[in-house]
Coordinates of all heavy atoms in Angstrom, one line a residue:
M1 N -25.9 -8.4 11.8 CA -24.8 -7.5 12.0 C -25.0 -6.2 11.4 O -25.5 -6.0 10.3 CB -23.6 -8.2 11.3 CG -22.4 -7.3 11.4 SD -20.9 -8.0 10.7 CE -21.3 -8.1 8.9
T2 N -24.7 -5.1 12.1 CA -24.8 -3.8 11.6 C -23.7 -3.5 10.6 O -22.6 -4.0 10.8 CB -24.6 -2.8 12.8 OG1 -25.5 -3.1 13.8 CG2 -24.8 -1.4 12.4
R3 N -24.0 -2.8 9.6 CA -23.0 -2.5 8.5 C -22.5 -1.1 8.7 O -23.3 -0.2 9.0 CB -23.6 -2.7 7.2 CG -23.9 -4.2 6.9 CD -24.4 -4.4 5.6 NE -24.7 -5.8 5.4 CZ -25.4 -6.3 4.4 NH1 -25.8 -5.6 3.5 NH2 -25.6 -7.6 4.4
Y4 N -21.3 -0.9 8.5 CA -20.7 0.4 8.6 C -19.9 0.8 7.3 O -19.2 0.0 6.8 CB -19.6 0.5 9.7 CG -20.2 0.2 11.1 CD1 -20.2 -1.1 11.7 CD2 -20.9 1.2 11.8 CE1 -20.7 -1.3 12.9 CE2 -21.5 0.9 13.0 CZ -21.4 -0.3 13.6 OH -21.9 -0.6 14.8
D5 N -20.2 2.0 6.8 CA -19.4 2.5 5.7 C -18.2 3.1 6.3 O -18.3 4.1 7.1 CB -20.3 3.6 5.0 CG -19.5 4.3 3.9 OD1 -18.3 3.9 3.6 OD2 -20.1 5.2 3.3
P6 N -17.0 2.7 6.0 CA -15.8 3.2 6.6 C -15.6 4.7 6.5 O -15.2 5.4 7.5 CB -14.6 2.5 5.8 CG -15.3 1.2 5.3 CD -16.7 1.6 5.0
R7 N -15.9 5.3 5.4 CA -15.8 6.8 5.2 C -16.8 7.5 6.1 O -16.5 8.4 6.8 CB -16.0 7.2 3.8 CG -14.8 6.7 2.9 CD -15.2 7.0 1.4 NE -16.4 6.3 1.0 CZ -16.4 5.0 0.6 NH1 -15.3 4.3 0.4 NH2 -17.5 4.4 0.2
A8 N -18.0 7.0 6.1 CA -19.1 7.7 7.0 C -18.7 7.4 8.5 O -18.9 8.3 9.3 CB -20.4 7.1 6.7
F9 N -18.2 6.3 8.8 CA -17.8 5.9 10.1 C -16.8 6.9 10.6 O -16.9 7.5 11.7 CB -17.3 4.5 10.2 CG -17.0 4.0 11.6 CD1 -18.0 3.6 12.4 CD2 -15.7 4.0 12.0 CE1 -17.7 3.2 13.7 CE2 -15.4 3.6 13.3 CZ -16.4 3.2 14.1
E10 N -15.7 7.1 9.8 CA -14.7 8.0 10.2 C -15.2 9.4 10.5 O -14.8 10.1 11.5 CB -13.6 8.1 9.1 CG -12.7 7.0 9.1 CD -11.6 6.9 10.2 OE1 -11.4 7.9 10.9 OE2 -11.1 5.9 10.4
D11 N -16.1 9.9 9.7 CA -16.7 11.2 9.9 C -17.5 11.3 11.1 O -17.5 12.3 11.9 CB -17.6 11.6 8.7 CG -16.8 11.8 7.4 OD1 -15.6 12.0 7.5 OD2 -17.4 11.7 6.3
T12 N -18.3 10.2 11.4 CA -19.2 10.2 12.6 C -18.4 10.1 13.9 O -18.9 10.7 14.9 CB -20.1 9.0 12.5 OG1 -20.8 9.1 11.2 CG2 -21.1 8.9 13.6
I13 N -17.3 9.5 14.0 CA -16.7 9.2 15.2 C -15.6 10.2 15.7 O -15.0 10.0 16.7 CB -16.1 7.8 15.3 CG1 -15.0 7.7 14.2 CG2 -17.1 6.7 15.1 CD1 -14.3 6.4 14.3
Q14 N -15.4 11.2 14.9 CA -14.4 12.2 15.3 C -14.7 12.7 16.7 O -15.7 13.1 17.1 CB -14.5 13.4 14.3 CG -14.1 13.2 12.9 CD -12.7 12.7 12.8 OE1 -11.8 13.1 13.5 NE2 -12.4 11.8 11.9
G15 N -13.7 12.5 17.6 CA -13.7 12.9 19.0 C -14.6 12.0 19.9 O -14.8 12.4 21.0
Q16 N -15.0 10.9 19.4 CA -15.9 10.0 20.2 C -15.2 8.7 20.6 O -15.9 7.7 20.8 CB -17.2 9.7 19.5 CG -18.0 10.9 19.2 CD -19.2 10.6 18.5 OE1 -19.6 9.4 18.3 NE2 -19.9 11.6 18.0
R17 N -13.9 8.7 20.7 CA -13.2 7.4 21.0 C -13.7 6.7 22.2 O -13.8 5.5 22.2 CB -11.7 7.7 21.1 CG -10.8 6.5 21.4 CD -9.4 6.9 21.6 NE -8.7 5.8 22.1 CZ -7.7 5.9 23.0 NH1 -7.4 7.1 23.4 NH2 -7.1 4.8 23.5
Q18 N -14.0 7.4 23.3 CA -14.4 6.7 24.5 C -15.7 6.0 24.4 O -16.0 5.1 25.1 CB -14.4 7.7 25.7 CG -15.4 8.8 25.6 CD -15.0 10.0 24.7 OE1 -13.9 10.0 24.1 NE2 -15.8 11.0 24.6
N19 N -16.5 6.4 23.4 CA -17.9 5.9 23.2 C -17.9 4.7 22.3 O -19.0 4.1 22.1 CB -18.8 6.9 22.8 CG -19.0 8.0 23.8 OD1 -18.9 7.8 25.0 ND2 -19.2 9.2 23.3
L20 N -16.8 4.3 21.7 CA -16.8 3.3 20.7 C -16.6 1.9 21.3 O -15.7 1.8 22.2 CB -15.7 3.5 19.7 CG -15.8 4.8 18.8 CD1 -14.6 4.9 17.9 CD2 -17.1 4.7 18.0
S21 N -17.4 1.0 21.0 CA -17.2 -0.4 21.5 C -16.3 -1.2 20.6 O -16.2 -0.9 19.4 CB -18.6 -1.0 21.7 OG -19.1 -1.4 20.4
G22 N -15.7 -2.2 21.3 CA -14.9 -3.1 20.5 C -15.8 -3.8 19.4 O -15.3 -4.1 18.3
E23 N -17.1 -4.0 19.7 CA -18.0 -4.7 18.8 C -18.2 -3.8 17.5 O -18.2 -4.3 16.4 CB -19.3 -4.9 19.4 CG -20.3 -5.7 18.6 CD -19.9 -7.2 18.4 OE1 -19.2 -7.8 19.3 OE2 -20.1 -7.7 17.3
M24 N -18.3 -2.5 17.7 CA -18.5 -1.6 16.6 C -17.3 -1.6 15.7 O -17.4 -1.7 14.4 CB -18.8 -0.2 17.0 CG -20.1 0.1 17.6 SD -20.3 1.7 18.3 CE -20.1 2.7 16.8
L25 N -16.1 -1.6 16.3 CA -14.9 -1.6 15.6 C -14.6 -2.9 14.9 O -14.1 -3.0 13.7 CB -13.7 -1.2 16.5 CG -13.8 0.2 17.1 CD1 -12.9 0.3 18.3 CD2 -13.5 1.2 16.1
F26 N -15.0 -4.0 15.5 CA -14.9 -5.3 15.0 C -15.8 -5.4 13.7 O -15.4 -5.9 12.7 CB -15.3 -6.4 16.0 CG -15.3 -7.8 15.5 CD1 -14.1 -8.5 15.4 CD2 -16.5 -8.4 15.1 CE1 -14.1 -9.8 14.9 CE2 -16.5 -9.7 14.7 CZ -15.3 -10.4 14.5
D27 N -17.0 -4.9 13.8 CA -17.9 -4.9 12.7 C -17.4 -4.1 11.5 O -17.5 -4.5 10.3 CB -19.3 -4.4 13.0 CG -20.1 -5.3 13.9 OD1 -19.7 -6.5 14.0 OD2 -21.1 -4.9 14.4
L28 N -16.7 -3.0 11.8 CA -16.1 -2.3 10.7 C -14.9 -3.1 10.1 O -14.8 -3.1 8.9 CB -15.5 -0.9 11.3 CG -14.9 0.0 10.3 CD1 -15.9 0.3 9.1 CD2 -14.4 1.2 10.9
G29 N -14.1 -3.8 10.9 CA -13.1 -4.7 10.3 C -13.7 -5.7 9.4 O -13.2 -6.0 8.4
L30 N -14.8 -6.3 9.8 CA -15.5 -7.3 9.0 C -16.0 -6.7 7.7 O -15.8 -7.3 6.6 CB -16.7 -7.9 9.7 CG -16.4 -8.9 10.8 CD1 -17.8 -9.3 11.5 CD2 -15.7 -10.1 10.3
A31 N -16.5 -5.5 7.7 CA -17.0 -4.8 6.5 C -15.8 -4.6 5.6 O -15.9 -4.8 4.4 CB -17.7 -3.5 6.9
C32 N -14.7 -4.1 6.1 CA -13.5 -3.9 5.3 C -12.9 -5.2 4.7 O -12.5 -5.2 3.6 CB -12.4 -3.2 6.1 SG -12.8 -1.5 6.5
S33 N -12.9 -6.2 5.5 CA -12.3 -7.5 5.1 C -13.2 -8.2 4.0 O -12.6 -9.0 3.3 CB -12.0 -8.4 6.3 OG -13.2 -8.8 6.9
T34 N -14.5 -8.0 4.0 CA -15.3 -8.7 3.1 C -15.8 -7.9 1.9 O -16.4 -8.4 1.0 CB -16.6 -9.3 3.9 OG1 -17.3 -8.2 4.4 CG2 -16.2 -10.2 4.9
G35 N -15.5 -6.6 2.0 CA -16.0 -5.7 0.9 C -17.5 -5.4 0.9 O -18.0 -5.0 -0.1
K36 N -18.1 -5.6 2.1 CA -19.6 -5.4 2.2 C -20.0 -4.0 1.8 O -21.1 -3.7 1.4 CB -20.1 -5.7 3.5 CG -20.1 -7.2 3.8 CD -20.9 -7.6 4.9 CE -20.8 -9.0 5.2 NZ -22.0 -9.8 5.2
N37 N -19.1 -3.0 2.0 CA -19.5 -1.6 1.7 C -18.6 -1.0 0.6 O -18.3 0.2 0.6 CB -19.3 -0.8 3.0 CG -20.3 -1.2 4.0 OD1 -21.5 -1.3 3.8 ND2 -19.8 -1.5 5.2
G38 N -18.3 -1.8 -0.3 CA -17.4 -1.4 -1.4 C -16.3 -2.3 -1.7 O -16.5 -3.5 -1.7
T39 N -15.1 -1.8 -1.8 CA -14.0 -2.7 -2.1 C -13.4 -3.3 -0.8 O -13.5 -2.7 0.2 CB -12.8 -1.9 -2.8 OG1 -13.0 -0.6 -2.6 CG2 -12.6 -2.3 -4.2
T40 N -12.8 -4.5 -1.0 CA -12.1 -5.2 0.1 C -10.9 -4.4 0.4 O -10.1 -4.1 -0.5 CB -11.8 -6.6 -0.3 OG1 -13.0 -7.3 -0.5 CG2 -11.1 -7.3 0.8
D41 N -10.6 -4.1 1.7 CA -9.4 -3.4 2.1 C -8.8 -4.1 3.3 O -9.2 -3.8 4.4 CB -9.7 -1.9 2.4 CG -8.5 -1.1 2.7 OD1 -7.4 -1.7 3.0 OD2 -8.7 0.1 2.8
L42 N -7.9 -5.0 3.1 CA -7.4 -5.8 4.2 C -6.5 -5.0 5.1 O -6.4 -5.3 6.3 CB -6.6 -7.1 3.6 CG -7.5 -8.1 2.9 CD1 -6.6 -9.3 2.4 CD2 -8.7 -8.5 3.7
V43 N -5.8 -4.0 4.6 CA -5.0 -3.1 5.5 C -5.9 -2.4 6.5 O -5.6 -2.4 7.7 CB -4.1 -2.2 4.6 CG1 -3.4 -1.2 5.5 CG2 -3.1 -2.9 3.8
S44 N -7.0 -1.9 6.0 CA -7.9 -1.2 6.9 C -8.6 -2.2 7.8 O -8.8 -1.9 9.0 CB -9.0 -0.5 6.1 OG -8.5 0.7 5.4
A45 N -8.9 -3.4 7.3 CA -9.5 -4.4 8.2 C -8.5 -4.7 9.3 O -9.0 -4.8 10.5 CB -9.8 -5.6 7.4
H46 N -7.3 -4.9 9.0 CA -6.3 -5.2 10.0 C -6.2 -4.1 11.1 O -6.2 -4.3 12.3 CB -4.9 -5.4 9.4 CG -3.8 -5.8 10.3 ND1 -3.2 -5.0 11.3 CD2 -3.2 -7.0 10.4 CE1 -2.3 -5.7 11.9 NE2 -2.3 -6.9 11.4
K47 N -6.3 -2.9 10.6 CA -6.3 -1.7 11.5 C -7.5 -1.8 12.5 O -7.3 -1.6 13.7 CB -6.4 -0.4 10.7 CG -6.7 0.8 11.4 CD -6.9 2.0 10.5 CE -7.8 3.0 11.0 NZ -8.1 4.1 10.1
W48 N -8.7 -2.0 11.9 CA -9.9 -2.0 12.8 C -9.9 -3.2 13.7 O -10.3 -3.0 14.9 CB -11.1 -1.9 11.9 CG -11.3 -0.6 11.2 CD1 -11.3 -0.4 9.8 CD2 -11.3 0.7 11.8 NE1 -11.4 0.9 9.6 CE2 -11.4 1.6 10.7 CE3 -11.3 1.2 13.1 CZ2 -11.5 3.0 10.9 CZ3 -11.4 2.6 13.3 CH2 -11.5 3.4 12.2
F49 N -9.5 -4.3 13.2 CA -9.4 -5.5 14.1 C -8.4 -5.2 15.3 O -8.6 -5.6 16.4 CB -9.0 -6.8 13.4 CG -10.2 -7.3 12.5 CD1 -9.9 -7.8 11.2 CD2 -11.5 -7.3 13.0 CE1 -10.9 -8.3 10.5 CE2 -12.5 -7.8 12.2 CZ -12.2 -8.3 10.9
N50 N -7.3 -4.6 14.9 CA -6.3 -4.2 15.9 C -6.9 -3.3 17.0 O -6.7 -3.6 18.2 CB -5.1 -3.6 15.2 CG -3.9 -3.5 16.1 OD1 -3.8 -4.1 17.2 ND2 -2.9 -2.7 15.6
I51 N -7.6 -2.3 16.6 CA -8.2 -1.4 17.6 C -9.3 -2.1 18.4 O -9.4 -1.9 19.6 CB -8.7 -0.1 16.8 CG1 -7.5 0.6 16.2 CG2 -9.4 0.8 17.8 CD1 -7.9 1.7 15.2
A52 N -10.1 -2.9 17.7 CA -11.1 -3.6 18.4 C -10.5 -4.6 19.4 O -11.1 -4.7 20.5 CB -12.0 -4.4 17.4
A53 N -9.4 -5.2 19.1 CA -8.8 -6.1 20.1 C -8.3 -5.3 21.3 O -8.5 -5.7 22.5 CB -7.6 -6.8 19.4
L54 N -7.8 -4.1 21.1 CA -7.4 -3.2 22.2 C -8.5 -2.8 23.0 O -8.4 -2.5 24.2 CB -6.6 -2.0 21.6 CG -5.3 -2.3 21.0 CD1 -4.7 -1.0 20.3 CD2 -4.3 -2.7 22.1
K55 N -9.7 -2.7 22.4 CA -10.9 -2.3 23.1 C -11.6 -3.5 23.8 O -12.7 -3.4 24.3 CB -11.9 -1.7 22.2 CG -11.5 -0.3 21.7 CD -11.8 0.7 22.7 CE -12.4 1.9 22.1 NZ -12.9 2.8 23.1
G56 N -10.9 -4.7 23.8 CA -11.4 -5.8 24.5 C -12.2 -6.9 23.7 O -12.7 -7.9 24.2
K57 N -12.3 -6.8 22.4 CA -12.9 -7.7 21.5 C -11.9 -8.8 21.2 O -11.1 -8.7 20.3 CB -13.5 -7.1 20.3 CG -14.2 -8.0 19.3 CD -15.6 -8.4 19.9 CE -16.3 -9.2 18.9 NZ -17.5 -9.8 19.4
R58 N -12.0 -9.9 21.9 CA -11.0 -11.0 21.8 C -11.0 -11.6 20.4 O -9.9 -11.9 19.9 CB -11.2 -12.1 22.8 CG -10.9 -11.7 24.2 CD -11.1 -12.9 25.1 NE -10.7 -12.5 26.5 CZ -10.8 -13.3 27.5 NH1 -11.3 -14.5 27.3 NH2 -10.4 -12.9 28.7
E59 N -12.1 -11.8 19.8 CA -12.2 -12.4 18.5 C -11.5 -11.6 17.4 O -11.0 -12.1 16.5 CB -13.7 -12.5 18.1 CG -13.9 -13.4 16.9 CD -15.4 -13.5 16.6 OE1 -16.3 -12.8 17.3 OE2 -15.8 -14.4 15.8
A60 N -11.4 -10.3 17.7 CA -10.7 -9.4 16.7 C -9.2 -9.7 16.6 O -8.7 -9.6 15.5 CB -10.9 -7.9 17.1
A61 N -8.6 -10.1 17.7 CA -7.2 -10.5 17.6 C -6.9 -11.7 16.7 O -6.0 -11.7 15.9 CB -6.6 -10.8 19.0
R62 N -7.9 -12.6 16.7 CA -7.7 -13.8 15.8 C -7.9 -13.4 14.4 O -7.2 -13.8 13.5 CB -8.8 -14.8 16.2 CG -8.7 -16.1 15.4 CD -9.5 -17.2 15.9 NE -10.9 -16.9 16.1 CZ -11.8 -17.0 15.1 NH1 -11.5 -17.4 13.9 NH2 -13.1 -16.7 15.3
Y63 N -8.9 -12.6 14.1 CA -9.1 -12.1 12.7 C -8.0 -11.3 12.2 O -7.5 -11.4 11.1 CB -10.4 -11.2 12.7 CG -11.7 -12.1 12.6 CD1 -12.0 -13.0 13.6 CD2 -12.5 -12.0 11.5 CE1 -13.2 -13.7 13.5 CE2 -13.7 -12.7 11.4 CZ -14.0 -13.6 12.4 OH -15.2 -14.3 12.3
R64 N -7.4 -10.4 13.1 CA -6.2 -9.6 12.7 C -5.1 -10.6 12.3 O -4.4 -10.3 11.3 CB -5.8 -8.7 13.9 CG -4.6 -7.9 13.6 CD -4.1 -7.2 14.9 NE -3.7 -8.2 15.9 CZ -3.8 -8.0 17.2 NH1 -4.3 -6.9 17.7 NH2 -3.5 -8.9 18.0
Q65 N -4.9 -11.6 13.1 CA -3.8 -12.6 12.8 C -4.0 -13.2 11.4 O -3.1 -13.4 10.6 CB -3.8 -13.7 13.9 CG -2.6 -13.7 14.7 CD -2.6 -14.8 15.7 OE1 -3.7 -15.4 16.0 NE2 -1.5 -15.1 16.3
E66 N -5.3 -13.6 11.2 CA -5.6 -14.3 9.9 C -5.3 -13.4 8.7 O -4.8 -13.8 7.7 CB -7.0 -14.8 9.9 CG -7.3 -15.9 10.8 CD -8.8 -16.3 10.9 OE1 -9.5 -15.9 10.0 OE2 -9.1 -17.1 11.8
I67 N -5.7 -12.1 8.9 CA -5.5 -11.2 7.8 C -4.0 -10.9 7.6 O -3.5 -10.7 6.5 CB -6.3 -9.9 8.1 CG1 -7.8 -10.2 7.8 CG2 -5.8 -8.7 7.2 CD1 -8.7 -9.0 8.0
A68 N -3.3 -10.8 8.7 CA -1.8 -10.6 8.6 C -1.1 -11.6 7.7 O -0.2 -11.3 7.0 CB -1.2 -10.5 10.0
R69 N -1.6 -12.8 7.7 CA -1.0 -13.9 6.9 C -1.2 -13.6 5.4 O -0.4 -14.1 4.6 CB -1.7 -15.2 7.2 CG -1.2 -15.8 8.5 CD -1.8 -17.2 8.8 NE -2.0 -17.4 10.2 CZ -3.1 -17.7 10.7 NH1 -4.2 -17.9 10.0 NH2 -3.2 -17.8 12.0
E70 N -2.2 -12.8 5.1 CA -2.5 -12.5 3.7 C -1.8 -11.2 3.2 O -1.8 -10.8 2.0 CB -4.0 -12.3 3.4 CG -4.7 -13.6 3.7 CD -6.2 -13.5 3.4 OE1 -6.6 -12.9 2.4 OE2 -7.0 -14.1 4.2
L71 N -1.2 -10.4 4.1 CA -0.6 -9.2 3.8 C 1.0 -9.3 3.8 O 1.5 -10.2 4.5 CB -0.9 -8.1 4.9 CG -2.4 -7.8 5.0 CD1 -2.6 -6.9 6.2 CD2 -3.0 -7.2 3.8
S72 N 1.6 -8.4 3.1 CA 3.1 -8.3 3.1 C 3.5 -7.7 4.5 O 2.6 -7.1 5.2 CB 3.6 -7.5 2.0 OG 3.2 -6.1 2.1
D73 N 4.7 -7.8 4.8 CA 5.2 -7.2 6.0 C 5.0 -5.6 5.9 O 4.7 -5.0 7.0 CB 6.7 -7.4 6.2 CG 7.0 -8.9 6.6 OD1 6.1 -9.6 7.0 OD2 8.2 -9.3 6.5
A74 N 5.2 -5.1 4.8 CA 5.0 -3.6 4.6 C 3.5 -3.2 4.8 O 3.3 -2.2 5.4 CB 5.5 -3.2 3.2
Q75 N 2.6 -4.1 4.4 CA 1.2 -3.8 4.6 C 0.8 -3.9 6.0 O 0.0 -3.1 6.5 CB 0.4 -4.7 3.7 CG 0.4 -4.4 2.2 CD -0.3 -5.5 1.4 OE1 -0.1 -6.7 1.6 NE2 -1.2 -5.0 0.5
V76 N 1.4 -4.9 6.7 CA 1.1 -5.0 8.2 C 1.6 -3.8 8.9 O 0.9 -3.2 9.8 CB 1.7 -6.3 8.8 CG1 1.6 -6.3 10.3 CG2 1.0 -7.6 8.2
A77 N 2.8 -3.4 8.6 CA 3.4 -2.2 9.2 C 2.5 -1.0 8.9 O 2.3 -0.1 9.8 CB 4.8 -2.0 8.7
E78 N 2.0 -0.8 7.7 CA 1.1 0.3 7.3 C -0.2 0.2 8.2 O -0.6 1.3 8.7 CB 0.7 0.2 5.8 CG -0.2 1.2 5.4 CD -0.7 1.0 3.9 OE1 -0.1 0.2 3.2 OE2 -1.6 1.7 3.5
A79 N -0.7 -0.9 8.4 CA -2.0 -1.1 9.2 C -1.7 -0.7 10.6 O -2.5 -0.1 11.3 CB -2.5 -2.5 9.1
Q80 N -0.5 -1.2 11.1 CA -0.2 -0.9 12.5 C 0.0 0.6 12.7 O -0.4 1.2 13.7 CB 1.0 -1.7 12.9 CG 0.8 -3.1 13.0 CD 2.0 -4.0 13.3 OE1 3.1 -3.6 12.9 NE2 1.8 -5.1 13.8
R81 N 0.7 1.3 11.8 CA 0.9 2.7 11.8 C -0.5 3.4 11.8 O -0.7 4.4 12.6 CB 1.7 3.2 10.7 CG 3.2 3.1 10.9 CD 4.0 3.8 9.8 NE 3.7 3.4 8.5 CZ 4.2 2.4 7.8 NH1 5.1 1.6 8.4 NH2 3.9 2.1 6.6
A82 N -1.4 3.0 10.9 CA -2.7 3.6 10.8 C -3.5 3.4 12.1 O -4.2 4.4 12.6 CB -3.5 3.0 9.7
A83 N -3.4 2.3 12.8 CA -4.1 2.0 14.0 C -3.5 3.0 15.1 O -4.2 3.6 15.9 CB -3.9 0.6 14.5
R84 N -2.2 3.1 15.2 CA -1.5 4.0 16.2 C -2.0 5.4 16.0 O -2.3 6.1 16.9 CB 0.0 3.8 16.1 CG 0.5 2.6 16.8 CD 2.0 2.7 17.0 NE 2.7 2.8 15.8 CZ 3.2 1.8 15.0 NH1 3.0 0.6 15.3 NH2 3.8 2.1 13.9
E85 N -2.0 5.8 14.7 CA -2.4 7.2 14.4 C -3.8 7.4 14.8 O -4.2 8.5 15.3 CB -2.1 7.5 12.9 CG -2.6 8.8 12.4 CD -1.8 10.0 13.1 OE1 -0.7 9.8 13.6 OE2 -2.3 11.1 13.1
W86 N -4.7 6.5 14.4 CA -6.1 6.6 14.8 C -6.3 6.7 16.3 O -7.0 7.6 16.8 CB -6.9 5.5 14.2 CG -8.4 5.7 14.3 CD1 -9.2 6.3 13.4 CD2 -9.2 5.3 15.5 NE1 -10.5 6.3 13.9 CE2 -10.5 5.7 15.2 CE3 -9.0 4.7 16.7 CZ2 -11.6 5.5 16.0 CZ3 -10.0 4.5 17.5 CH2 -11.3 4.9 17.2
L87 N -5.6 5.9 17.0 CA -5.7 5.9 18.5 C -5.1 7.2 19.0 O -5.7 7.8 20.0 CB -4.9 4.7 19.1 CG -5.6 3.4 18.9 CD1 -4.7 2.3 19.3 CD2 -6.9 3.3 19.7
R88 N -4.1 7.7 18.4 CA -3.5 9.0 18.9 C -4.4 10.2 18.7 O -4.5 11.1 19.5 CB -2.2 9.2 18.1 CG -1.4 10.5 18.6 CD -0.1 10.7 17.8 NE -0.4 11.1 16.4 CZ -0.9 12.3 16.1 NH1 -1.1 13.3 17.0 NH2 -1.1 12.7 14.8
T89 N -5.2 10.1 17.6 CA -6.0 11.3 17.2 C -7.5 11.2 17.7 O -8.3 12.1 17.5 CB -6.0 11.5 15.7 OG1 -6.5 10.4 15.1 CG2 -4.6 11.9 15.3
H90 N -7.9 10.0 18.3 CA -9.3 9.9 18.7 C -9.3 9.6 20.2 O -9.0 8.7 20.7 CB -9.9 8.7 17.9 CG -10.1 9.1 16.5 ND1 -9.2 8.9 15.5 CD2 -11.2 9.6 15.9 CE1 -9.6 9.2 14.4 NE2 -10.8 9.7 14.5

């Protein structure tokens, strides 16, 4: 599996939304959910799994659901807002 640094990823993909695969976004969600590139961030993981699911990565929807069970309602709402904002700006 390819590893992505969330900060570097954000810098790299500015303006490249159409070129991103669901697989890349799914891998980023995995990195955030497991802390492979630093600290575990389940809100960000939910965001990336949400976007990956929208890009056609079916498995991402299941992971998003699993993570949602570990988050508060406020955290899920935060992740959903972040996903909508990312989609709006990319």
Side-chain angles (χ1 to χ4, degrees):
M1 173 177 71
T2 306
R3 294 185 182 167
Y4 298 99
D5 175 2
R7 291 170 303 270
F9 183 81
E10 284 285 345
D11 293 340
T12 303
I13 61 174
Q14 293 298 323
Q16 296 179 11
R17 178 178 169 220
Q18 66 280 1
N19 297 326
L20 297 175
S21 70
E23 186 68 33
M24 288 174 65
L25 297 163
F26 178 78
D27 287 349
L28 183 57
L30 285 176
C32 290
S33 67
T34 60
K36 288 197 183 234
N37 296 310
T39 15
T40 300
D41 183 348
L42 295 182
V43 172
S44 291
H46 187 286
K47 167 188 154 181
W48 293 120
F49 287 139
N50 194 10
I51 297 168
L54 290 171
K55 290 281 221 168
K57 181 71 175 170
R58 288 184 178 178
E59 191 176 11
R62 184 171 54 85
Y63 279 61
R64 180 189 62 211
Q65 247 181 342
E66 289 176 15
I67 285 178
R69 289 186 211 122
E70 298 182 39
L71 299 174
S72 68
D73 290 343
Q75 289 173 310
V76 170
E78 178 186 347
Q80 290 172 336
R81 279 190 304 275
R84 282 192 302 269
E85 177 64 20
W86 189 90
L87 288 168
R88 185 184 69 74
T89 59
H90 291 86

